[in-house]
Amino acid sequence: MGLTARVVESPAGLEPIVAEWDALAVAAGRPFSAPAWPLAWWRHLAPAGAALRVLAVEDGDGLAGVVPLYASGRGLATLGAKMAPVEPLAREGIEPAVAAAAAEHLAAGRPRPATVGLRGHESAPEWAALLAGAWPGRAGARVWPELSTAAPRVEFGDGLEAWLAGKSSSFRRDIRRSGRKLEQAGGEFRYATAETLERDVGEFLRLHRLRLVAQGGSNLPAQGVAEMLTAVGAELLPSGRFRLICLDLDGETIAANLLLAAGREVSAWNSGFDDAHREYSPVMQCLLHAIGDAAERGEGSMSLGAGGQDYKYRLADAEDRIASTLVLPRGSTYPLARLRLLPSRVRRLVAGGLSPQAKQRLRRLPHRSARP
């Protein structure tokens, strides 16, 4: 297979392949890997001094795969991966060939990267292993696992009612009770539109940060996130793939949940709510509304995002994981790269532990190992 890789170093240079890149994400069912998310992150949240380094792998039929990276010092990392799992993409069945073309191009670069950071679902192709296995030279490269985080999933391919029928009677009773209370109080769901987008993004972030005050605050950057999300929304709203659900009560937004879609997959990103209205289970009600809407659209599954929070396991039918991994080329930079990684690896492994409640629920769920 005649694949060639090239590096694109500017957003303008990416314009000719954006549509094909997006089509790869839709075919793979990877909402955050579509170009709208990582390119908005690059425009509004890229680290100072970083340089765009997107690998486009092509053949006679066009774009065969993409590895969306940026350079910071001697390290390469995935665009936007700190905010969501942005993964390399390829046409189905040719992932090893795409990885081989990308590894060859990366190894030939000057300066040669000391690390290549990736973050993605364990149900996706093992891109770190593919890149490391194809790294040219006798020494090759090593895969260095970092943080792995639970990502509970909801499978509703047979429709909302069939999915609900499979849940426990106590779950159905609880969510119907809180749903009736919310309806009687006058609560209404709506989606952000082009006209309300900027305001709704602002309310979503306000509620998100409000929810986390007691837990030490949100880990989202203080600046640039609203602009990034507004840009993503402007790009994906026309196709219905940007879904910011707002729950309004008495003229105020009391909860919001942001999801992206691609193919038959929906992925929840983050949520927020006003704790004064906890009696209505607002985040759970938003997610249930999103599941029902997605089922009506013919979609079949939803990732509830990184994190093993207990409320997610009340909804979940299956379990995926989101893993951060480094590819370390062996060579002159290898010993120093390993030494620098050891302290952060210990901290991340400790921080990535699941709660006892999440571990208990996880034992009852099937592990999702197949690609969606």
Side-chain angles (χ1 to χ4, degrees):
M1 183 180 298
L3 295 179
T4 59
R6 61 185 177 92
V7 174
V8 182
E9 300 182 352
S10 70
L14 289 169
E15 290 177 5
I17 66 167
V18 162
E20 291 178 285
W21 180 355
D22 189 67
L24 290 176
V26 170
R30 295 303 188 203
F32 293 104
S33 298
W37 183 271
L39 294 185
W41 176 89
W42 175 254
R43 291 194 296 272
H44 298 287
L45 290 170
L52 195 65
R53 296 288 186 270
V54 176
L55 274 173
V57 181
E58 297 162 314
D59 61 12
D61 295 323
L63 188 69
V66 61
V67 185
L69 303 172
Y70 70 95
S72 181
R74 294 291 301 274
L76 294 172
T78 311
L79 290 172
K82 291 182 178 180
M83 302 278 283
V86 178
E87 300 165 338
L89 297 166
R91 291 189 214 124
E92 188 173 2
I94 66 166
E95 293 88 354
V98 168
E104 182 177 354
H105 196 89
L106 289 171
R110 294 293 179 270
R112 189 182 188 188
T115 59
V116 181
L118 302 174
R119 183 174 183 236
H121 295 82
E122 290 185 356
S123 60
E126 297 182 6
W127 283 103
L130 290 172
L131 283 170
W135 203 270
R138 187 171 62 182
R142 178 183 172 180
V143 174
W144 184 272
E146 292 198 291
L147 180 64
S148 178
T149 307
R153 298 183 56 78
V154 180
E155 306 284 355
F156 50 85
D158 295 327
L160 178 63
E161 291 306 315
W163 174 75
L164 278 173
K167 307 304 287 184
S168 69
S169 59
S170 61
F171 173 84
R172 296 195 302 271
R173 182 186 65 246
D174 290 347
I175 61 104
R176 284 170 178 159
R177 180 187 297 142
S178 57
R180 284 194 300 270
K181 288 176 66 176
L182 180 62
E183 184 178 1
Q184 291 165 2
E188 294 183 341
F189 295 99
R190 62 179 177 83
Y191 284 102
T193 65
E195 292 73 28
T196 67
L197 178 61
E198 188 172 346
R199 183 191 69 206
D200 289 339
V201 165
E203 281 296 283
F204 162 72
L205 290 173
R206 179 186 68 81
L207 290 165
H208 168 73
R209 292 189 166 106
L210 180 67
R211 175 174 68 92
L212 295 175
V213 166
Q215 302 174 37
S218 171
N219 60 2
L220 294 179
Q223 304 294 328
V225 180
E227 292 80 2
M228 174 194 166
L229 297 180
T230 301
V232 176
E235 181 74 20
L236 295 181
L237 269 174
S239 64
R241 289 164 51 194
F242 179 94
R243 301 173 194 170
L244 178 51
I245 299 177
C246 300
L247 173 55
D248 293 344
L249 182 64
D250 295 331
E252 295 183 11
T253 301
I254 66 167
N257 202 303
L258 177 58
L259 309 97
L260 298 188
R264 298 191 71 242
E265 172 77 4
V266 185
S267 289
W269 180 63
N270 230 316
S271 63
F273 69 96
D274 186 339
D275 197 59
H277 301 285
R278 179 179 289 272
E279 63 180 304
Y280 302 119
S281 302
V283 170
M284 185 73 78
Q285 293 297 329
C286 283
L287 286 171
L288 287 167
H289 187 83
I291 291 168
D293 177 61
E296 288 184 4
R297 295 172 188 254
E299 294 155 347
S301 58
M302 177 187 294
S303 170
L304 297 177
Q309 294 91 338
D310 190 61
Y311 78 90
K312 293 182 181 179
Y313 286 98
R314 295 199 70 197
L315 291 167
D317 308 293
E319 153 84 10
D320 200 348
R321 295 191 71 81
I322 297 174
S324 298
T325 312
L326 290 173
V327 176
L328 275 60
R330 295 183 184 272
S332 60
T333 61
Y334 180 72
L336 183 58
R338 282 198 58 179
L339 186 63
R340 287 175 173 171
L341 287 169
L342 283 173
S344 62
R345 184 180 188 186
V346 171
R347 288 195 299 271
R348 287 171 179 170
L349 287 174
V350 170
L354 291 175
S355 68
Q357 296 89 345
K359 289 178 180 177
Q360 185 177 10
R361 292 183 183 276
L362 176 57
R363 294 189 193 103
R364 299 198 293 265
L365 295 178
H367 183 70
R368 182 181 177 89
S369 58
R371 186 178 181 181

